[in-house]
């Protein structure tokens, strides 16, 4: 395509084009999970609960997912350079609002708009990149790099923002995001021609109704998943009405897709067995992928690591992801059986969660977690790209765009459900274990009395009065019980995830027809972002 349409100026070398597109794409990727870089700092700055920050990330994902199909019409209508400038200015404006405001409503609206703009940025960037990749090998490498960057974003954001958050207010991150878009504006203005990749289609008969229904459905579902545990699920009318409304909108949306002449998504993709299998595998992978966040919580809450040291140890996870992405890319290019790739990836995740189950303790050295973090990265890196490309390859080419959009929905759903599961198990498990410890640790327990007396004596020896020493000893005992509750919750959740991974591996091993789908990356295949 690039040989026919001079998108970039004739004197620009190919390597510079790829570098510029990477510079354009990276700020938006960083913006995706930016609130999770330090969720407590974000909650403190905006004066809200951590649940609200989680919901801000969910809204970004909702905007990203819901705008997927509608965005293609704008992509075909606007010239490439013009489109890039409009998207970038939208990101600049919303980032500036996030920088100056502490109002949650404005934050939520801007995060949703940023998600929509992220869809545009990814679509046009990948379209330009893949228009220059003519071989299957090059396209597989391109997919692997993009998805590898996407799953690296949480630890990468921790690394690049830890020092900033330690020295400045949280909103400084959005100021940095503003400046990070400056190089892309300069490069695009200098290096690009104002041409179109496709024939211009007028913006009429846009399916705004399907977009609104889809976005509202995802928003309500995300609201229920994030706030459900806080409001005790169906006991609260807000969660109850949200789920009822989401179910109604889902029904209306499905009927609309069947009746509409040009559906938002072609539901015929569900007629293909391996697509459904791929979607289930992708959903399970996303639940397991975000379970690794409990390890970071353990590092901070139990081992007492500060965000800077946490970012350093998470670099090993990035190293594992990079290695896993490379391995999966090589295996796909060698046309190894997809079952072998999937089983290998899930087996690595099973090893990681089982290993962490036995490593969780009140005291530990950071070096003990290096290899498990690398193993987790290897598993995630091996699964991400092959799973998505497998699902899209399972349907005919004309259904590829719908398959890519539904895979994006599955990923969004997996992210939201993982938040709901973690929030539910956290409160449930912590309460259960706290009550168990509380029943055992009483004044009638001679061991507890001995520990409290020993600590009180140590404080008295430091000069504290007897009453103050006893109060401080009781506080330390409560803190120790809370720490044990946190550890037991993490162990219980990882045990549950390990069982899920085990049954997933068995499921994949028992269905040989998975290998009937041949992963072949066509030049005109839609980018499965």
């Amino acid at each position: 395509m690039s040989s026919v349409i001079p998108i970039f100026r004739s004197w620009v070398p190919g390597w510079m084009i790829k570098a510029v597109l990477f510079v354009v794409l990276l700020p938006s990727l960083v913006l995706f999970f930016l609130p999770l870089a330090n969720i407590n700092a974000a909650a403190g700055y905006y004066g809200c609960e951590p649940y609200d920050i989680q919901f801000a990330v969910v809204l970004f994902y909702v905007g990203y997912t819901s705008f997927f199909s509608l965005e293609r019409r704008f992509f075909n209508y606007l010239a490439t350079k013009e489109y890039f400038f409009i998207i970038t200015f939208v990101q600049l404006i919303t980032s500036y609002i996030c920088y100056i405001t502490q109002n949650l409503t404005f934050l939520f609206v801007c995060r949703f708009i940023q998600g929509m703009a992220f869809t545009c940025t990814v679509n046009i960037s990948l379209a330009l990149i893949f228009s220059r990749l003519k071989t299957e090998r090059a396209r597989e490498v391109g997919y692997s790099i993009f998805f590898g960057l996407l799953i690296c974003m949480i630890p990468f954001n921790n690394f690049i923002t830890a020092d900033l958050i330690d020295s400045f207010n949280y909103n400084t991150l959005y100021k940095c995001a503003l400046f990070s878009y400056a190089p892309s504006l300069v490069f695009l203005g200098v290096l690009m021609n104002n041409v179109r990749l496709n024939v211009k289609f007028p913006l009429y008969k846009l399916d705004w109704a399907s977009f609104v229904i889809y976005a509202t459905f995802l928003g309500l579902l995300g609201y229920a998943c994030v706030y459900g545990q806080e409001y005790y699920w169906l006991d609260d009318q807000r969660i109850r009405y949200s789920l009822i409304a989401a179910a109604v909108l889902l029904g209306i949306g499905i009927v609309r897709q069947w009746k509409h002449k040009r559906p938002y998504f072609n539901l015929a993709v569900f007629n293909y067995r391996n697509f459904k299998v791929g979607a289930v595998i992708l959903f399970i992978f996303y639940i397991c992928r975000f379970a690794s966040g409990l390890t970071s919580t353990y590092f901070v809450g139990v081992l007492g690591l500060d965000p800077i040291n946490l970012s350093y140890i998470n670099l090993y996870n990035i190293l594992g992801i990079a290695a896993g992405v490379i391995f999966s890319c090589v295996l796909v290019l060698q046309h190894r059986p997809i079952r072998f790739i999937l089983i290998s990836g899930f087996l690595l995740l099973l090893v990681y969660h089982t290993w962490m189950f036995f490593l969780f303790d009140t005291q530990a050295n950071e070096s003990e977690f290096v290899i498990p973090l690398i193993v987790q990265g290897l598993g995630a890196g091996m699964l991400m790209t092959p799973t998505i490309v497998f699902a899209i390859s399972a349907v005919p080419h004309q259904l590829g765009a719908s398959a890519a959009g539904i895979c994006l929905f599955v990923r969004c759903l997996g992210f939201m459900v993982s938040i709901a599961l973690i929030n539910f198990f956290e409160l449930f498990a912590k309460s259960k274990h706290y009550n168990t410890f509380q029943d055992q640790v009483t004044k009638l327990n001679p061991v507890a009395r001995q520990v409290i007396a020993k600590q009180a004596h140590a404080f008295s020896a430091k000069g504290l009065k007897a009453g103050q020493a006893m109060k401080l000893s009781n506080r330390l005992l409560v803190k120790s019980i809370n720490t044990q509750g946190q550890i037991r919750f993490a162990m219980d959740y990882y045990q549950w995830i390990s069982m899920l991974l085990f049954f997933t591996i068995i499921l994949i091993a028992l269905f040989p027809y998975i290998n009937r789908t041949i992963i072949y990356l066509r030049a005109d295949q839609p980018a499965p972002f």
Side-chain angles (χ1 to χ4, degrees), residues 17 29 73 75 112 251 279 482 493:
I17 293 174
L29 285 170
R73 292 291 302 276
F75 178 71
F112 179 79
N482 288 330
Y493 194 76

Side-chain angles (χ1 to χ4, degrees), residues 47 153 167 195 235 293 299 318-319 337 342 375 469 505 508 523:
M153 276 304 107
S167 303
V195 298
D235 290 340
F299 287 153
I318 296 178
L319 177 64
L342 296 177
V375 170
I505 293 171
I508 297 171

